Amino acid sequence: MKMFDMGGQALSLFKELDLVCHQLCLELKHEYVQAVLPKPDIDRDKLTIYYMLFRMNEPQQAAGSYTKSVMVAEIGLNTHETMTCEKRTNKELLKQRQLTVLSGDFYSALYYYTLARQSNIELVKWVAQAIQNFNEYKCALFFPPVHFGWQELIHEIKKIESALVGKIARQLGFKHVVPYISDFFLIKRLIAERDLRNEEKHTGYFSKMRLDDDDQLVEKLDSEIKNRTAQLSQALKRSEDQSELFLKLKDYINLQLPLTA
Amino acid sequence: MTLSRIYLEKKSKLKSVERELESVLSVANPLLSEASLDLLKAGGKRIRPLLTLLCAEYGDAERKAVKDSAVMLELIHMASLVHDDVVDDSDLRRGKPTVKAQWNNRVAMFTGDFIFAKAIELISDVDNLEVHRSISRVIRDLSLGEIDQIKELYHWKQNLRTYLRRIKRKTALLMALSCQLGALSSGCSSEIGLKLYYFGYYLGMSYQITDDILDFIGTKKQLGKPAGGDLRNGNITLPTYFAMNRYGLRNSIRKVLENKNPSHEQWDAVIHSIRASGAIRDSEQLSNAYLQKGIDLLEQLPQVKVTHALRVIADYIGTRNY
């Protein structure tokens, strides 16, 4: 793994990320919520890519703090993603649903709180704008104004998966890496959807949509994952971009792609 | 001066806030736009924007940041209502179907998150870190208050302090912020902002205690649900707390709260006993004490027309019966 130069005190990226991840866990900690709900998932790939983006222009501590705040916002949205719709009478299940709403709100409030304390209101604005887009895309996915074909559906999912990270990358001046990041997170989501489907779990995107050929979904996902992974690897290989960020991302994605697939 | 007179004098500014709310919630996605605008059109007292507009009169009330603050506060309130309806499993709000009833819980999540993010985006243009630190702390505490409320459901052992902290977070902080933001966004000093913050805080505490009293003494027609709804849902509010401290009542209330499936008759009996216990009068006294603290603070502010208007609002909160 490449090292970031920290004025002679180089720490491996891996160690820096461990520290950020540890601090993020502390920030998310709420004793009562965690006694009722499972601990929120931390997407280590998102954490890494945010950190790489912020680290290009910021010292280690600031980059770590911004990464934490943006991850908290992501986790808030992901928490609401697990919302169920069926009627519930069981008190414990009801409590879980109530806390799903409220802990998601808490995380959404926390990103603003932490960024305001770091005096970074510009980043607050970017995240707020990205969250609006994210929710617009979600509504469009689950309640499409017109019937989506397969590729349109995949395109919508791609927009959702990189709504926040894509926005941050663009705002920081790294528009050139957005297509690669978006493809990477789309592939991750498709893999997660396929695995959920295989386990017959109903918490993924596809279980909430009506598809014409539902019984062939796993095969279609498999094929999409394979094609998209090959395309992304080729695109990374072919690119003539020699920027520091691109090269780091290329290394990282190339390392992670076989692991995710 | 009366409350209706205050609303009348602020009518054009409140309308301008309303137009701005409509404009920011009219987005390209038809579902999100419809869900948000339906909620907006269902109306409400708009007490928070009113407080912001009034408190701004201690400074330059024509500043753009004043309107932005008023709009932002109403958006935060609206976002919390959409999510609260999922938490409370409510199908109706102000007589209209809730977002979750009209669509589903997920759409309610999208809508609430969208409105909340809109509020944050709007206020992010304000170039004042003190404002951002204050707003973000209040928003965080609001959500912590809601979590506490779930945590403390059916916990008959909770003390007065727990209740007061809960209503502070649930209601008083947003009212405090409404007043403080009015002052800060209109260019007032931090000192005036702080006094108005505490005025709003005391007002909010009194407002919520009154709400909790009305839940016991209101009629089914006034409340739109049977009296004692909070207690029936396991939410121990001030009248119940005071009643539990009276001889003989603690055990009967505890038994119903611990019963997994109490009958309507058992609930009705316990609610009747709370009403008859003197707990309502004690709660009113505490509500009035908070209100008086707010009124006392008004004396430390410049004695101008708006100070009188704030006094009228305080009096209204002290006497409201719906």
Side-chain angles (χ1 to χ4, degrees):
Chain A
M1 186 80 44
K2 298 221 167 177
M3 311 280 263
F4 280 105
D5 181 15
M6 291 169 48
Q9 289 183 318
L11 263 183
S12 72
L13 173 63
F14 194 68
K15 279 189 180 164
E16 288 183 33
L17 287 167
D18 273 351
L19 184 65
V20 177
C21 196
H22 173 70
Q23 289 167 342
L24 176 61
C25 288
L26 293 179
E27 203 142 306
L28 293 170
K29 199 170 178 186
H30 187 291
E31 218 169 286
Y32 178 66
V33 169
Q34 293 188 359
V36 179
L37 294 180
K39 264 190 180 176
D41 273 337
I42 294 175
D43 183 338
R44 187 82 185 198
D45 292 321
K46 276 237 165 98
L47 182 103
T48 306
I49 288 177
Y50 275 125
Y51 189 71
M52 282 179 174
L53 292 168
F54 287 121
R55 194 70 176 86
M56 295 310 294
N57 301 324
E58 302 286 348
Q60 184 192 345
Q61 201 178 352
S65 298
Y66 299 156
T67 301
K68 267 189 298 169
S69 298
V70 181
M71 282 302 290
V72 169
E74 288 260 9
I75 288 164
L77 295 172
N78 292 343
T79 304
H80 284 167
E81 179 53 39
T82 61
M83 175 52 60
T84 50
C85 292
E86 72 278 8
K87 198 89 190 156
R88 282 185 169 173
T89 47
N90 176 299
K91 270 187 188 172
E92 271 312 299
L93 290 177
L94 200 62
K95 192 191 281 179
Q96 283 176 11
R97 173 180 287 166
Q98 291 169 324
L99 285 177
T100 300
V101 180
L102 299 174
S103 59
D105 288 352
F106 171 59
Y107 303 140
S108 297
L110 207 54
Y111 88 82
Y112 180 29
Y113 178 80
T114 54
L115 287 174
R117 263 132 204 89
Q118 294 162 65
S119 312
N120 195 340
I121 304 305
E122 199 177 23
L123 184 52
V124 168
K125 187 175 197 157
W126 300 343
V127 175
Q129 288 169 337
I131 291 176
Q132 289 170 57
N133 291 335
F134 175 90
N135 286 293
E136 288 198 68
Y137 301 153
K138 276 279 177 82
C139 282
L141 180 72
F142 293 120
F143 300 89
V146 289
H147 181 74
F148 283 146
W150 176 258
Q151 282 310 319
E152 287 165 302
L153 203 60
I154 297 294
H155 180 66
E156 290 300 310
I157 294 174
K158 184 172 163 176
K159 278 160 63 181
I160 292 170
E161 291 308 298
S162 49
L164 261 76
V165 69
K167 169 82 179 176
I168 302 297
R170 275 190 292 273
Q171 293 293 151
L172 290 173
F174 306 121
K175 193 178 161 188
H176 58 290
V177 298
V178 174
Y180 308 103
I181 296 176
S182 304
D183 278 331
F184 177 61
F185 286 113
L186 169 67
I187 293 166
K188 273 196 73 171
R189 166 54 79 166
L190 295 178
I191 291 167
E193 291 289 333
R194 182 195 59 193
D195 295 347
L196 284 168
R197 196 71 180 184
N198 276 333
E199 292 166 26
E200 296 187 354
K201 286 188 180 168
H202 297 280
T203 49
Y205 287 170
F206 288 97
S207 64
K208 284 149 190 136
M209 286 182 280
R210 279 192 180 175
L211 297 173
D212 296 336
D213 44 3
D214 204 44
D215 49 336
Q216 291 165 14
L217 184 61
V218 173
E219 288 79 5
K220 286 184 96 168
L221 284 170
D222 262 336
S223 152
E224 196 68 41
I225 292 162
K226 215 171 143 188
N227 291 339
R228 296 239 167 215
T229 307
Q231 282 167 14
L232 177 56
S233 295
Q234 280 300 314
L236 287 167
K237 200 183 285 177
R238 276 201 312 266
S239 174
E240 290 172 3
D241 191 338
Q242 290 298 309
S243 67
E244 187 190 351
L245 177 65
F246 176 78
L247 295 175
K248 278 183 177 143
L249 269 172
K250 185 177 163 182
D251 278 354
Y252 184 76
I253 293 176
N254 276 329
L255 202 68
Q256 295 304 311
L257 265 185
L259 299 176
T260 48
Chain B
M1 192 183 276
T2 59
L3 186 66
S4 12
R5 180 81 203 165
I6 295 169
Y7 268 106
L8 194 68
E9 284 187 6
K10 285 279 159 277
K11 196 177 168 184
S12 71
K13 285 197 170 172
L14 280 169
K15 271 204 164 166
S16 166
V17 168
E18 208 75 9
R19 276 196 299 273
E20 184 69 15
L21 283 166
E22 199 170 331
S23 158
V24 298
L25 294 175
S26 303
V27 289
N29 184 281
L31 188 150
L32 213 43
S33 192
E34 194 185 334
S36 310
L37 290 172
D38 279 357
L39 182 70
L40 178 68
K41 283 171 190 158
K45 292 193 222 46
R46 309 286 190 241
I47 187 87
R48 293 157 198 85
L50 178 69
L51 285 171
T52 305
L53 295 175
L54 283 171
C55 291
E57 290 192 10
Y58 288 104
D60 176 5
E62 300 309 314
R63 287 189 184 185
K64 183 181 174 289
V66 173
K67 188 164 95 175
D68 284 350
S69 300
V71 172
M72 184 273 301
L73 284 159
E74 195 59 19
L75 288 173
I76 288 174
H77 178 59
M78 283 173 68
S80 72
L81 293 184
V82 181
H83 285 182
D84 280 354
D85 289 331
V86 177
V87 171
D88 300 337
D89 198 17
S90 306
D91 290 337
L92 285 175
R93 179 171 287 280
R94 295 176 190 135
K96 303 251 169 73
T98 56
V99 176
K100 78 124 207 154
Q102 198 162 350
W103 286 278
N104 60 35
N105 287 348
R106 291 171 65 84
V107 175
M109 290 300 100
F110 301 151
T111 310
D113 286 344
F114 172 81
I115 298 176
F116 181 68
K118 200 79 189 172
I120 306 293
E121 185 200 3
L122 191 71
I123 206 68
S124 64
D125 284 333
V126 173
D127 186 19
N128 183 336
L129 269 180
E130 188 187 352
V131 166
H132 289 293
R133 287 182 179 163
S134 195
I135 299 171
S136 61
R137 182 179 49 81
V138 166
I139 296 174
R140 185 203 60 168
D141 286 353
L142 269 176
S143 57
L144 285 172
E146 297 267 14
I147 293 172
D148 281 349
Q149 182 156 320
I150 302 295
K151 181 183 169 187
E152 286 147 14
L153 284 181
Y154 299 98
H155 284 201
W156 57 270
K157 275 185 186 165
Q158 63 185 276
N159 57 30
L160 182 60
R161 190 184 227 181
T162 317
Y163 166 79
L164 294 176
R165 189 184 60 182
R166 198 168 68 228
I167 66 165
K168 168 188 159 186
R169 286 171 161 176
K170 182 181 167 182
T171 306
L173 285 180
L174 203 53
M175 286 222 189
L177 184 66
S178 305
C179 294
Q180 187 190 28
L181 274 190
L184 295 181
S185 60
S186 65
C188 289
S189 65
S190 297
E191 193 191 347
I192 288 198
L194 197 63
K195 281 183 181 150
L196 286 167
Y197 175 90
Y198 279 106
F199 168 74
Y201 167 74
Y202 293 132
L203 205 67
M205 292 298 279
S206 172
Y207 189 91
Q208 187 57 51
I209 293 173
T210 305
D211 243 19
D212 293 342
I213 294 170
L214 291 175
D215 185 65
F216 275 96
I217 62 172
T219 61
K220 193 174 176 182
K221 195 178 169 192
Q222 284 169 326
L223 299 167
K225 57 185 178 179
D230 287 334
L231 186 60
R232 289 172 207 263
N233 289 322
N235 188 11
I236 294 167
T237 60
L238 195 59
T240 306
Y241 171 78
F242 278 143
M244 279 203 295
N245 283 328
R246 283 164 198 275
Y247 178 76
L249 271 182
R250 190 178 190 85
N251 276 343
S252 56
I253 295 171
R254 198 191 83 187
K255 272 183 195 162
V256 179
L257 283 170
E258 284 181 344
N259 186 339
K260 279 194 178 151
N261 203 9
S263 66
H264 287 299
E265 290 72 25
Q266 283 173 302
W267 278 125
D268 289 345
V270 92
I271 286 159
H272 176 76
S273 63
I274 292 170
R275 273 191 196 146
S277 68
I280 301 292
R281 189 196 55 230
D282 291 351
S283 304
E284 282 169 348
Q285 275 176 3
L286 188 57
S287 171
N288 289 336
Y290 274 115
L291 211 52
Q292 191 55 50
K293 285 183 115 175
I295 290 167
D296 291 347
L297 264 178
L298 290 180
E299 284 169 20
Q300 297 173 30
L301 287 162
Q303 294 307 300
V304 288
K305 192 178 168 190
V306 64
T307 312
H308 183 53
L310 293 177
R311 171 68 200 249
V312 171
I313 290 181
D315 289 339
Y316 155 73
I317 283 173
T319 54
R320 78 192 178 101
N321 54 9
Y322 61 92

